[in-house]
Amino acid sequence: TRNGASSPMLLPAAVARSAIACVAALSLSCSPLQLAPAAAAAPPSAESQSALQKAFQSAQAGSYASADTQLGKLILEWEKTGQPDDETAALYKTRGVCRQSLGQLPAAREDLSQALRLSMTPGSKPDPAEVQRTYQLRARVNQKLGNSREQAEDLTAAITRLDQLDAIEATNPQLFKDRAEARMRTKEWAGAAEDAERAQIEFKQLGDKIRALVSAADGALALYSTARLGVASPTPTLTCTLTRCARALR
């Protein structure tokens, strides 16, 4: 999500890891010890695997236009030869990241959506962490497109999958901060206040005082709007955040 003379943006680490895992899995699939069932598609050729590795290397190096073209050809081949849906999903996901970096936001969103659709087909066996990250990626694209409600929905999907991740990745206050901001844009004040409170607490636990303060300010604003509209009663934690923010800004 995240032109000219500036240095190229590297492919996100999570996507790069997914790409490496995909290449590794394909290499294993060609081993004599990994015999596929008779009905399964034949594994990609060595030439195709080489092309796949080059495409991921181009994306990692920031050559997004080149990677986009290469991945497009690979997606066609993977679909034509009936490769596993989770592998094809990884290709769509990576191309989605490339297209996002190229500013092709609608196309990026469609690629990420297709990656999610393929990840949920019967028989697909995606890494739960990769599905969770794909929702995060699409949320960022929706944010850039001004689709706040869709962004909040994607963040909700990502948040509900946190318990499928390891302990370190399962703590992600940025997701709650981003959803609080999205909900504020759609005037869902009560939900925004709850998210901001959660983000504030987790940022504080991680020792990130600045982001904790920003989340406290977001929560105070959402809380004020909630109370003004009579939507819900403020929680004890957020009741004093406005005072703390005011003191911090003096």
Side-chain angles (χ1 to χ4, degrees):
T1 71
R2 312 178 265 240
N3 311 266
S6 59
S7 58
M9 183 190 305
L10 291 179
L11 194 69
V15 177
R17 288 196 298 271
S18 176
I20 294 170
C22 183
V23 174
L26 289 172
S27 298
L28 286 173
S29 71
C30 290
S31 168
L33 299 178
Q34 300 290 328
L35 296 179
S45 65
E47 182 181 358
S48 296
Q49 292 185 57
S50 177
L52 177 65
Q53 189 169 19
K54 290 178 180 178
F56 283 132
Q57 288 173 345
S58 293
Q60 178 65 14
S63 300
Y64 298 120
S66 176
D68 185 350
T69 300
Q70 296 173 70
L71 287 165
K73 295 177 181 178
L74 289 164
I75 287 171
L76 288 175
E77 180 177 352
W78 254 243
E79 292 178 334
K80 181 179 179 179
T81 57
Q83 299 305 315
D85 283 347
D86 47 290
E87 290 183 11
T88 309
L91 298 180
Y92 273 106
K93 176 187 175 184
T94 306
R95 190 175 69 172
V97 173
C98 292
R99 289 181 166 181
Q100 177 187 354
S101 299
L102 291 168
Q104 301 172 6
L105 298 180
R109 181 177 59 184
E110 180 53 37
D111 274 354
L112 295 171
S113 296
Q114 180 65 2
L116 289 169
R117 285 191 289 267
L118 289 169
S119 296
M120 297 174 188
T121 59
S124 183
K125 300 178 181 179
D127 180 351
E130 291 308 311
V131 176
Q132 195 266 354
R133 291 170 189 138
T134 304
Y135 275 112
Q136 290 188 58
L137 289 167
R138 194 172 68 174
R140 292 169 191 159
V141 172
N142 275 319
Q143 178 185 20
K144 289 191 172 185
L145 286 169
N147 301 330
S148 297
R149 195 168 302 280
E150 290 84 351
Q151 178 195 4
E153 291 172 355
D154 281 342
L155 289 168
T156 296
I159 287 169
T160 58
R161 287 167 170 77
L162 285 175
D163 59 2
Q164 300 177 15
L165 310 182
D166 61 40
I168 296 178
E169 289 186 291
T171 302
N172 192 339
Q174 188 65 41
L175 292 179
F176 292 95
K177 180 180 183 300
D178 290 345
R179 190 171 68 173
E181 293 171 353
R183 284 176 163 176
M184 289 173 70
R185 288 192 292 272
T186 59
K187 304 188 187 311
E188 299 175 63
W189 303 115
E194 292 175 2
D195 281 344
E197 178 178 5
R198 174 72 177 267
Q200 176 197 357
I201 292 171
E202 291 194 1
F203 276 132
K204 185 176 180 179
Q205 291 173 341
L206 293 174
D208 193 334
K209 296 181 180 179
I210 294 178
R211 286 188 173 87
L213 179 60
V214 171
S215 292
D218 287 344
L221 178 58
L223 178 62
Y224 169 77
S225 298
T226 299
R228 181 170 59 86
L229 295 174
V231 176
S233 300
T235 63
T237 301
L238 280 175
T239 300
C240 61
T241 54
L242 186 58
T243 300
R244 290 204 302 271
C245 289
R247 288 174 179 171
L249 293 172
R250 286 176 183 172

